[in-house]
Amino acid sequence: MLRYTTPQPSPPMSPLVGPATPRIPGAGAGGAGPAPEAAPTLPPAPPRTPRPAITLTAPPSNKRRRRGAARSSLRAIRAVRALFRSLPILAPACRFPGVIPRHGAGGGGGGGPRGQDGHVSGASRTTGTLFGHRRARVTLAVQETPGSVPILLLELAMQTGRFMQEMGAEHLRVALECEKKPPGAGAGIGRTRLLDEPLWTAYVNGRKIGYAVRREPTDDDLTVMQLLRTVSAGAGVLPADVVGAGTAPEGQEAGDLAYMRAHFDRVVGSRDSESFYMLNPDGNNGPELSIFFIRI
């Protein structure tokens, strides 16, 4: 005969519990075992100096200049006519000694006739800035005022440090030459301003150094002009974390950004020649710089 037995309940199984993972020192079982070493932390990077907001003003347009020059010349002609009408008729033998200056009077330094204050007669005042990282190419910026956008930005094929060494000479002459376009080479011939030429052959004290390229100002260039907007003349160094790292030859660092700013007398000789003469704030002492633009 078959017998049925009631199955006895099996004892409850204990759940598998793993050892606690220590998350902080001493959090292990019973506090036993060495605490894991914390990974070394690097010091936080210094905050980058924020760039200043660009507040440079736009230079006056050529149209406004021409209108102003035409109006001033017209007023001058009318004033001269009125003056001559009011004067009595003079005999041909009458002379006015000392009215016509002799050629080269008061001049010096190859910059044309200069007055007692050192300014070239008939020249207009501009602001010139030579800047660049020491191992990068030097850039020439010409502004109408220290707080305006440059009307000319020219990059020379010469390192800034070497150019500053050349400034130690008694007089530094930079000649920039470009070729005239032949007649009928394209539309707009004869309308290109001299300073708008894109490519120049550069000479420093008669030695050819390569080429100079005209370019549009970048954000770094405008930042430099913004930082120097209150500087009328002087030289110094700007922090690299604000103006950018610059571009240097392979395997070299660009270095700090050096600058030199001064007033320049701008003399327009003709449609194909212009000159810039640096004005020394301390008189005749110190280095002199002349920059010539010639289209041949």
Side-chain angles (χ1 to χ4, degrees):
M1 177 178 284
L2 298 176
R3 295 181 180 182
Y4 297 93
T5 58
T6 304
Q8 298 294 330
S10 58
M13 299 178 62
S14 61
L16 298 177
V17 180
T21 302
R23 299 183 179 273
I24 57 175
E37 296 182 359
T41 59
L42 298 177
R48 182 183 177 88
T49 306
R51 291 194 173 192
I54 305 301
T55 59
L56 300 175
T57 59
S61 61
N62 296 333
K63 185 179 296 185
R64 292 180 180 177
R65 289 185 191 174
R66 293 173 182 173
R67 289 180 179 176
R71 291 176 182 174
S72 60
S73 61
L74 184 59
R75 287 194 297 264
I77 291 174
R78 291 177 179 175
V80 171
R81 287 179 179 177
L83 177 63
F84 275 100
R85 288 174 182 175
S86 62
L87 291 176
I89 300 176
L90 302 176
C94 296
R95 295 181 181 179
F96 295 91
V99 173
I100 301 177
R102 287 177 290 181
H103 179 70
R114 290 179 179 265
Q116 295 181 357
D117 55 355
H119 301 302
V120 179
S121 60
S124 59
R125 175 72 64 87
T126 58
T127 300
T129 308
L130 292 160
F131 66 95
H133 296 271
R134 298 187 181 276
R135 295 183 181 88
R137 294 182 176 181
V138 63
T139 301
L140 168 66
V142 178
Q143 300 169 276
E144 295 180 355
T145 60
S148 62
V149 177
I151 60 175
L152 173 65
L153 204 67
L154 207 64
E155 184 175 324
L156 304 176
M158 191 174 189
Q159 290 186 359
T160 305
R162 184 181 174 187
F163 189 88
M164 295 301 179
Q165 292 177 357
E166 295 283 348
M167 285 293 298
E170 182 178 356
H171 192 97
L172 186 64
R173 295 175 176 86
V174 178
L176 301 167
E177 297 180 356
C178 69
E179 296 182 357
K180 289 184 180 179
K181 297 179 180 179
I189 297 301
R191 299 180 181 178
T192 303
R193 296 192 314 121
L194 180 64
L195 299 184
D196 290 340
E197 292 287 348
L199 186 63
W200 302 82
T201 304
Y203 300 86
V204 175
N205 285 344
R207 185 180 71 258
K208 183 178 179 180
I209 63 171
Y211 294 94
V213 181
R214 187 185 190 278
R215 58 180 177 84
E216 296 297 326
T218 62
D219 292 340
D220 293 341
D221 299 328
L222 295 178
T223 301
V224 173
M225 298 295 103
Q226 179 69 26
L227 294 174
L228 300 179
R229 71 189 184 280
T230 58
V231 179
S232 58
V237 178
L238 296 178
D241 61 339
V242 179
V243 297
T247 303
E250 185 177 357
Q252 299 182 6
E253 295 183 357
D256 297 329
L257 188 139
Y259 72 90
M260 186 195 71
R261 168 169 284 194
H263 292 300
F264 282 77
D265 274 346
R266 179 183 180 183
V267 179
V268 180
S270 66
R271 192 174 186 176
D272 299 323
S273 65
E274 291 191 23
S275 305
F276 292 84
Y277 303 98
M278 187 182 74
L279 302 178
N280 297 320
D282 54 352
N284 295 327
N285 298 327
E288 293 186 359
L289 173 64
S290 302
I291 304 175
F292 305 95
F293 293 85
I294 305 173
R295 184 160 48 192
I296 57 177

